[in-house]
Amino acid sequence: MLTENTIPNEEPVLAVGIILPEDEKREIILTIPGDGSYALQCDGADPIALLPGASIRVHLDENGRLRVHTPAAGKEIRTVDSVMIAADEQTDIGPRSGLVAHDIIAGREFHWKKFIDVPLPGTVEIRAVDSTLVMINHVRFEHYLMCVATSEMGAECPQALIEAQTIAARSWMLANVEKKHRSLGMDVCNDDCCQRYQGTLYMTEQSRAGAEATWGQTLLYDGSVCDARYSKSCGGVMEAYETIWGGEKVPYLIVKRDAPDDDKASLPQLQNDVVFHEWVSSVPHAFCSPHVIAESELKRYLGGVDEEGEYYRWHVTLTQREMTEQLNRSLKLNAAVILEIQPLVRGGSGRVSRLAIHFRRKDGVLSEHIVEGDVAIRRALHPDFLFSAAFEVQALAGERDDSPSTFSISGCGWGHGVGLCQIGALGMALEGYDSHAIVAHYYPGSSLKKLY
Ligand SMILES: [Zn+2]
Ligand SMILES: [Zn+2]
């Protein structure tokens, strides 16, 4: 586990939650790889060697203790409080290598939630918490980074982007601001709640090279590790930390044009609706703009994008009826007609942090509802989550009365837009910038240090 408020001087071991109490698991099945050398340790007793290919079943009995079924370990069943299954230290990591844990939840809390088999490097720990099982993967930090760096990348991703992404992920993790699962002895969980980790399933030779080339390199600012945020596309200007998450300003997460530092183009004042209208109606040059990389080409480099998708500038249209139903569902408005959707406060990239919705209630009374915050605003306006909060809404008048018939939403970018812009970093890499230049651009004022 990471030590709080300490910058490590040797490679840490990360504790990643694979099964959490909310999964309500009472049985876990694991398979030892055919070529692996593994040992089972129960309640801290001497380790017992496990045969290659053996399967291990752990279930929770009615007394809250673990029953371990290990046909290959000499003894059929043992009743214990904790189980550790460790790979021999010589065991190296590679794509799809490791102990396989079966039926692990991916997409916890999402409608697409599914169960998958996950190959895990390092050591696996199982114990009981509140009459369910939890499982923690203790994994060398650099191995963890090899597993997460390319989980969102396509096969042709340039090495400089993978390296920059690895440096950002290393720094973000070591800054360890969120600590959502610390009370369970976990640094992070395996899902989007923290960072998606599916063991070595999506590890590639490229991601291994990315970690090896940047081993231990971490972004620092004023003696502390940088909380290196990133998102898919800033839309041409990076957003400031406090616009999205509130609180104090963060000196290296600031409003900045996503273009070369010597670019003569000045920073537009996108807090202003009129200036923002011009910005969203045009396609200005930026590292993440289609001038550098056509959006139809993105799929070759980045996973999770559509070939037809438009991310730099996008448009969504909802009819009066669709918008009313959407807002009644997401905000419980009880609206009969939506009259106006009005941004009240914008950040430096144009992202709306405070939004007013004017509507007529079903009982005829005129009313107003305020929505605050990037996530709440994006969730309110669209069933699939609006790409970003950098948008304007044009209400087109209806024929029958003065209420709008259609709401046309035009926007910039994808995600919160703070820190590293992944499509922009891809553009920089394709233009020949190295990983150090990329992170220096997205985290201005930070410095890179090799911690171990
Ligand atoms: Zn989490
Ligand atoms: Zn960008």
Side-chain angles (χ1 to χ4, degrees), residues 311-328:
Y311 306 106
Y312 191 63
R313 295 289 177 269
W314 47 263
H315 303 277
V316 181
T317 303
L318 282 88
T319 63
Q320 169 67 248
R321 186 180 166 164
E322 287 167 338
M323 186 59 94
T324 307
E325 284 176 359
Q326 169 61 24
L327 294 176
N328 281 344

Side-chain angles (χ1 to χ4, degrees), residues 157-165 425 428-429 432-436 438:
C157 191
Q159 199 60 24
L161 172 59
I162 292 180
E163 289 177 15
Q165 184 79 49
M428 289 186 80
Y433 291 88
D434 67 14
S435 58
H436 292 189
I438 294 173

Side-chain angles (χ1 to χ4, degrees), residues 247-371:
E248 303 267 305
K249 287 179 194 286
V250 177
Y252 49 86
L253 298 175
I254 55 171
V255 176
K256 183 182 173 186
R257 198 147 179 161
D258 193 6
D261 286 338
D262 56 5
D263 195 350
K264 297 293 176 285
S266 61
L267 184 67
Q269 296 303 303
L270 301 177
Q271 294 91 341
N272 179 299
D273 283 341
V274 177
V275 179
F276 182 77
H277 173 72
E278 259 173 57
W279 177 252
V280 73
S281 311
S282 59
V283 185
H285 275 264
F287 286 127
C288 52
S289 72
H291 307 96
V292 178
I293 166 131
E295 296 190 312
S296 57
E297 297 284 294
L298 280 177
K299 200 164 176 64
R300 289 169 49 197
Y301 306 104
L302 301 176
V305 293
D306 278 332
E307 253 150 84
E308 311 284 302
E310 292 182 330
Y311 306 106
Y312 191 63
R313 295 289 177 269
W314 47 263
H315 303 277
V316 181
T317 303
L318 282 88
T319 63
Q320 169 67 248
R321 186 180 166 164
E322 287 167 338
M323 186 59 94
T324 307
E325 284 176 359
Q326 169 61 24
L327 294 176
N328 281 344
R329 194 169 40 234
S330 60
L331 300 173
K332 302 188 172 47
L333 284 193
N334 195 30
V337 180
I338 305 297
L339 299 172
E340 192 189 1
I341 297 171
Q342 181 191 18
L344 298 177
V345 180
R346 293 183 187 279
S349 75
R351 280 172 175 78
V352 179
S353 57
R354 193 173 155 82
L355 181 77
I357 294 162
H358 302 275
F359 61 102
R360 193 181 309 123
R361 288 194 331 219
K362 287 177 180 162
D363 59 11
V365 176
L366 293 179
S367 192
E368 183 193 65
H369 186 92
I370 302 290
V371 193

Side-chain angles (χ1 to χ4, degrees), residues 393-411:
V393 184
Q394 285 180 319
L396 308 175
E399 286 174 4
R400 279 182 293 129
D401 53 28
D402 59 345
S403 63
S405 64
T406 308
F407 295 90
S408 169
I409 309 178
S410 304

Side-chain angles (χ1 to χ4, degrees), residues 165-243:
Q165 184 79 49
T166 303
I167 293 168
R170 183 182 294 114
S171 306
W172 176 79
M173 192 64 66
L174 288 179
N176 195 19
V177 179
E178 300 191 278
K179 303 186 185 93
K180 293 177 184 166
H181 313 279
R182 206 167 169 89
S183 62
L184 290 166
M186 302 168 183
D187 293 306
V188 282
C189 77
N190 59 338
D191 219 344
D192 290 353
C193 144
C194 293
Q195 173 142 324
R196 196 180 305 176
Y197 167 74
Q198 297 179 344
T200 56
L201 204 54
Y202 295 106
M203 181 192 164
T204 60
E205 290 305 333
Q206 272 191 307
S207 65
R208 184 209 294 270
E212 283 171 352
T214 64
W215 199 268
Q217 289 177 10
T218 305
L219 292 160
L220 299 183
Y221 187 96
D222 204 10
S224 298
V225 177
C226 293
D227 177 13
R229 307 278 168 142
Y230 46 88
S231 69
K232 271 280 195 298
S233 167
C234 70
V237 169
M238 287 130 70
E239 187 50 81
Y241 174 91
E242 67 274 14
T243 300

